[in-house]
């Protein structure tokens, strides 16, 4: 029971007892007074009347006179009874009034009975005893007076009682409001929302409590800001180019190695190698300051170009004169268009001192399984060709034949018509080997997705193609490019939800950034979720970190609705963009999955260890558990565990297996 209710009920009980006690004492005292008055009234009447009739009582012929005198007094109605007896106790005259009381409830008369005493006086005729007179007052008038007094006392005490209740409410409010504000602030602090209580109470004890909590909140806010700034400084120091502010060569190597080795996503795309061909001449003739201005100018143009194009691209400065743009999950034509746009922009800022041109661009493809050296060599060869070309850019020769958009559209339509997806699951476990949940990866059989040209395929051919899966690294970008991403996500989620009740562990599903930006997808998913909260608790949605950075208030509300239904949220590839840290307080995810670039070979990378440790500290400060993916060795697992990472995922932890 809340403290406010305990205080209110306790004080209310005291007030009720005081109310009842006061009313009872007042009424009971009044009753005693009325009893005394009735007794006095009866005695006075008996004495005065006795003196008046004493001379006539001894003479029988005079009894009518006595009766008349007694009637004159008895008929006034203030008496219950009058009895005149002779010396032998014989009744000479007897008078009684009915024992009825008007205007007073029966329950009141029974609760507070009045018993007027019988007052007796002796009648003397000189020195001779003539008889006795008994007079008893009627209680009706006493009851009426007692009832009126009780009613008046009740209303007066009730008014005081109501006034006391109002004061009681104000008192309890004055005490509990600061306490409730402190409780609310403590809850906010647990969510890393460091608010301040503006209304400071005047009561000294409560004032000290509120000010102490405000100081604690301010200190924790300062500490959290310091942790965030520290993580950002680590990242800037280790992975950012000091001159341009873009990612440096170290960051490029980590990111690119992770892309090429990611066996789950099978990423593909294009690498643009951009060389400032006139930088050496500018440095020699105009000095390094002019060279730095040259580099900064080109860097700004490249960042503007990336911002203008809706591409999943990242800019790196890998050497003094070289920039690299990684276009992840991007087809050839958008990459070529982007390269041409870059050249046109850089040509527009060309100066006379750029004797060899502002820059040249070499474009080379990459895909899962390539080596960084081979991809850079292809891009460098293309750059060599671009240096002697009038276009100033060139695309490297590509041996791999990719599907056209028409073929991919046919593939996607067939997949959607089948309305089914196969999955493989990879566990996410803590250091005790307990499974948090299993991440599910979709697989589509290419032999099923591509219409057969002939009906005469042998069973052996079908068996050989049973595990010939479409490359997800090409399928997913094609779905985005052809506006099938939301439909594909809905198919995958619906297929997984159909299997959810039969799963021992919770399952994790990836949702594309494009789907998360669509309100129609929000509505579909909310309606598709099971009504059972226990079933919803077995679903974990993994959303990309970039969705937080580019997300809107609608995304925050959507995630809040999912969490209300019991769905858990994981932010994946966390750490690639520290700007997402500022959004964590709003989203309040259950888990953060570290970007694989910081996990690979982490036991030999002190910079990555410091950065991961700072991210873990921030996450734990927000009561968010941390997951490390792409853990491939015991040394990596041990290092991550020592850095207090909560859960691990990767081939060292468990291989992906087909779901049942």
């Amino acid at each position: 029971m809340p403290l406010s209710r305990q205080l209110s009920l306790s004080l209310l009980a005291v007030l009720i007892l005081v109310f009842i006690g006061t009313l009872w004492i007042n009424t009971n005292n009044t009753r005693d007074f009325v009893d005394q008055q009735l007794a006095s009234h009866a005695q006075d009447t008996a004495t005065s009347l006795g003196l008046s009739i004493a001379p006539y009582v001894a003479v029988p012929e005079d009894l009518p006179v006595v009766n008349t005198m007694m009637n004159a007094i008895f008929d006034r109605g203030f008496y219950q009874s009058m009895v005149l007896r002779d010396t032998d106790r014989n009744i000479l005259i007897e008078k009684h009034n009915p024992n009825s009381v008007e205007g007073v409830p029966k329950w009141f008369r029974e609760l507070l009975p009045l018993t007027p005493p019988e007052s007796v006086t002796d009648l003397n005729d000189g020195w001779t005893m003539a008889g006795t007179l008994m007079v008893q007052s009627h209680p009706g008038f006493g009851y009426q007076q007692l009832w009126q007094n009780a009613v008046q006392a009740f209303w007066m005490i009730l008014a005081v009682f109501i006034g006391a209740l109002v004061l009681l409410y104000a008192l309890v409010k004055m005490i509990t409001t600061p306490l409730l504000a402190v409780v609310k602030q403590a809850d906010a602090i647990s969510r890393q929302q460091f608010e301040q209580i503006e209304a400071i109470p005047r009561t000294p004890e409560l004032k000290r409590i509120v000010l102490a909590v405000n100081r604690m909140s301010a200190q924790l806010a300062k500490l959290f800001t310091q942790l965030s700034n520290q993580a950002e400084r680590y990242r800037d120091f280790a992975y950012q180019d000091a001159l341009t502010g873009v990612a440096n060569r170290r960051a490029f190597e980590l990111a690119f190695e992770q892309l090429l080795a990611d066996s789950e996503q099978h990423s593909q795309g294009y690498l643009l190698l951009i060389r400032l061909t006139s930088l050496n001449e500018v440095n020699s003739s105009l000095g390094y300051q002019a060279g730095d201005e040259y580099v900064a100018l080109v860097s700004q143009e490249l960042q503007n170009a990336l911002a203008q194009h809706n591409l999943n691209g990242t800019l790196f400065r890998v050497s003094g004169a070289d920039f690299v743009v990684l276009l992840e999950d991007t087809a050839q034509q958008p990459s070529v268009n982007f390269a041409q746009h870059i050249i046109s922009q850089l040509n527009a800022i060309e100066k006379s001192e750029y004797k060899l041109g502002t820059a040249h661009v070499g474009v080379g493809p990459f895909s899962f399984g390539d080596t960084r050296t081979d991809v850079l060599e292809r891009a460098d060869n293309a750059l060599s060709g671009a240096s002697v070309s009038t276009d100033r850019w060139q695309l490297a020769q590509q041996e791999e034949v990719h599907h056209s958009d028409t073929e991919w559209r046919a593939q996607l339509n067939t997949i959607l018509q089948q309305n089914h997806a196969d999955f493989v699951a990879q566990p996410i476990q803590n250091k005790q080997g307990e499974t948090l949940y299993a991440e599910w990866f979709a697989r589509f059989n290419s032999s099923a997705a591509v219409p057969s040209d002939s009906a005469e395929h042998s069973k052996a051919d079908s068996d050989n193609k049973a595990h010939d899966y479409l490359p997800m690294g090409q399928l997913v970008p094609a779905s985005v490019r052809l506006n099938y991403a939301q439909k594909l996500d809905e198919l995958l989620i619906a297929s997984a939800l159909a299997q959810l009740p039969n799963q021992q562990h919770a399952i994790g599903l990836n949702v594309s950034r494009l789907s998360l930006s669509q309100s129609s997808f929000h509505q579909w998913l909310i309606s598709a979720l099971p009504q059972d909260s226990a079933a919803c608790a077995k679903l974990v949605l993994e959303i990309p970190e970039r969705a937080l950075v580019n997300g809107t208030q609608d995304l925050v509300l959507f995630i809040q609705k999912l969490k209300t239904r019991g769905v858990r949220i994981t932010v994946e590839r966390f750490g690639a963009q520290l700007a997402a840290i500022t959004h964590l307080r709003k989203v309040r995810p259950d888990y953060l999955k570290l970007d694989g670039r910081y996990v690979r070979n982490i036991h030999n990378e002190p910079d990555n260890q410091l950065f991961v440790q700072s991210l873990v500290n921030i996450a734990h400060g927000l009561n968010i558990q941390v997951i490390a993916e792409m853990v491939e060795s015991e040394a990596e697992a041990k290092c991550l565990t020592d850095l207090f990472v909560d859960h691990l995922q990767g081939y060292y932890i468990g291989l992906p297996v087909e779901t049942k």
Side-chain angles (χ1 to χ4, degrees), residues 480-531:
V480 174
R481 187 170 64 252
L482 301 175
N483 201 26
Y484 280 79
Q486 181 175 336
K487 295 179 181 178
L488 188 62
D489 279 341
E490 292 175 359
L491 168 61
L492 297 179
I493 294 175
S495 298
L497 290 178
Q499 304 179 44
L500 186 60
N502 302 324
Q503 302 304 314
Q504 178 182 0
H505 301 291
I507 67 172
L509 299 173
N510 290 277
V511 183
S512 69
R513 182 164 55 95
L514 185 61
S515 296
L516 289 171
S517 65
Q518 304 298 318
S519 59
S520 57
F521 175 77
H522 299 175
Q523 298 172 1
W524 175 88
L525 181 55
I526 294 296
S527 62
L529 289 175
Q531 296 300 317

Side-chain angles (χ1 to χ4, degrees), residues 236-255 271-276 278-280 282-283 287-300 302-303 306 314-326 376:
D236 292 346
F237 177 76
Y239 309 114
Q240 191 177 76
D241 179 62
L243 175 61
T244 61
V246 302
N248 61 13
R249 183 178 186 86
R250 178 70 180 136
F252 164 71
E253 292 173 348
L254 290 173
L271 181 148
L272 279 65
L273 181 58
I274 305 159
R275 180 163 296 164
L276 281 60
S278 300
L279 182 59
N280 287 335
V282 171
N283 285 334
Y288 287 101
Q289 183 175 354
D292 290 344
E293 293 174 356
Y294 176 19
V295 172
L297 179 62
V298 172
S299 173
Q300 188 60 52
L302 295 176
Q303 293 178 67
L306 274 174
T314 308
L315 176 64
F316 305 87
R317 186 188 182 195
V318 295
S319 67
D322 291 346
F323 288 87
V324 164
V325 176
L326 280 182
L376 289 175

Side-chain angles (χ1 to χ4, degrees), residues 149-439:
N149 181 79
V151 170
Q152 292 173 359
F154 173 81
W155 289 116
M156 182 189 69
I157 298 174
L158 180 62
V160 174
F161 177 75
I162 293 174
L165 282 181
V166 173
L167 293 176
L168 169 63
Y169 176 80
L171 176 63
V172 172
K173 196 75 173 175
M174 183 178 67
I175 295 174
T176 57
T177 297
L179 295 178
L180 291 176
V182 169
V183 172
K184 182 180 179 181
Q185 187 182 32
D187 290 337
I189 289 174
S190 68
R191 299 190 303 270
Q192 298 301 314
Q193 297 175 354
F194 306 107
E195 303 172 352
Q196 293 285 305
I197 300 177
E198 300 296 338
I200 307 299
R202 296 181 180 179
T203 307
E205 293 81 4
L206 296 175
K207 182 177 181 180
R208 286 196 293 268
I209 293 174
V210 170
L211 292 178
V213 175
N214 276 347
R215 286 194 298 270
M216 180 181 67
S217 178
Q219 289 297 325
L220 290 175
K222 182 179 179 181
L223 178 61
F224 182 82
T225 302
Q226 289 175 347
L227 286 174
S228 301
N229 293 339
Q230 183 183 49
E232 190 168 356
R233 285 195 300 270
Y234 282 153
R235 184 174 183 268
D236 292 346
F237 177 76
Y239 309 114
Q240 191 177 76
D241 179 62
L243 175 61
T244 61
V246 302
N248 61 13
R249 183 178 186 86
R250 178 70 180 136
F252 164 71
E253 292 173 348
L254 290 173
F256 200 36
E257 291 287 354
Q258 187 263 343
L259 280 179
L260 298 177
D262 192 347
S263 58
E264 298 173 359
Q265 301 296 331
H266 288 265
S267 298
Q268 67 157 8
Y270 283 81
L271 181 148
L272 279 65
L273 181 58
I274 305 159
R275 180 163 296 164
L276 281 60
T277 45
S278 300
L279 182 59
N280 287 335
E281 286 73 9
V282 171
N283 285 334
S284 300
S285 59
L286 301 177
Y288 287 101
Q289 183 175 354
D292 290 344
E293 293 174 356
Y294 176 19
V295 172
L297 179 62
V298 172
S299 173
Q300 188 60 52
E301 290 296 328
L302 295 176
Q303 293 178 67
N304 293 339
L306 274 174
Q308 294 173 15
H309 288 71
N310 188 22
L311 298 174
N312 187 11
T314 308
L315 176 64
F316 305 87
R317 186 188 182 195
V318 295
S319 67
D322 291 346
F323 288 87
V324 164
V325 176
L326 280 182
L327 298 179
E328 185 180 351
D329 299 331
T330 306
Q332 176 177 311
Q333 191 56 48
S335 301
V336 169
N337 293 341
F338 181 67
Q340 293 173 340
H341 176 77
I342 288 176
I343 288 300
S344 64
Q345 292 296 108
L346 296 182
N347 287 341
I349 63 170
E350 187 168 317
K351 301 177 181 180
S352 58
E353 53 265 31
Y354 303 164
K355 298 180 180 179
L356 300 179
T358 306
H360 293 78
V361 180
V363 183
F366 68 85
S367 59
F368 168 71
D370 288 343
T371 65
R372 177 164 54 92
T373 303
D374 290 342
V375 175
L376 289 175
E377 185 177 346
R378 286 198 293 266
D380 192 61
N381 289 336
L383 183 62
S384 298
S387 63
V388 296
S389 170
T390 56
D391 293 334
R392 296 187 178 180
W393 74 272
Q394 184 168 309
L395 176 65
Q397 295 297 319
Q398 191 173 356
E399 297 178 359
E400 182 181 0
V401 178
H402 292 277
H403 293 291
S404 66
D405 283 350
T406 302
E407 292 172 324
W408 275 123
R409 185 175 286 105
Q411 294 271 27
L412 289 165
N413 284 326
T414 304
I415 289 171
L416 295 176
Q417 290 173 5
Q418 289 179 339
N419 198 29
H420 173 74
D422 296 324
F423 295 94
V424 294
Q426 188 176 42
I428 298 174
Q429 298 178 347
N430 60 15
K431 62 181 180 181
Q432 287 81 25
E434 300 169 338
T435 299
L436 176 66
Y437 67 89
E439 184 176 0

Side-chain angles (χ1 to χ4, degrees), residues 17-93:
L17 291 176
V18 171
F19 175 79
I20 295 174
T22 303
L23 183 62
W24 175 259
I25 292 172
N26 180 273
T27 306
N28 201 49
N29 289 340
T30 304
R31 184 189 67 169
D32 293 340
F33 175 76
V34 169
D35 269 340
Q36 294 174 6
Q37 289 293 101
L38 291 175
S40 176
H41 175 256
Q43 187 63 53
D44 292 344
T45 301
T47 301
S48 61
L49 182 59
L51 291 173
S52 299
I53 66 176
Y56 305 99
V57 173
V59 181
E61 292 77 6
D62 292 336
L63 287 179
V65 177
V66 172
N67 187 45
T68 301
M69 296 175 68
M70 290 178 63
N71 284 337
I73 294 182
F74 187 79
D75 288 344
R76 297 174 62 188
F78 293 109
Y79 303 96
Q80 179 72 40
S81 62
M82 285 185 181
V83 180
L84 178 64
R85 299 175 186 271
D86 58 16
T87 54
D88 296 328
R89 303 296 296 173
N90 296 318
I91 298 175
L92 300 177
I93 300 174

Side-chain angles (χ1 to χ4, degrees), residues 120-138:
V120 180
T121 186
D122 294 330
L123 303 178
N124 299 313
D125 183 14
W127 296 100
T128 304
M129 176 69 70
T132 58
L133 177 64
M134 186 277 296
V135 178
Q136 186 181 23
S137 297
H138 198 291

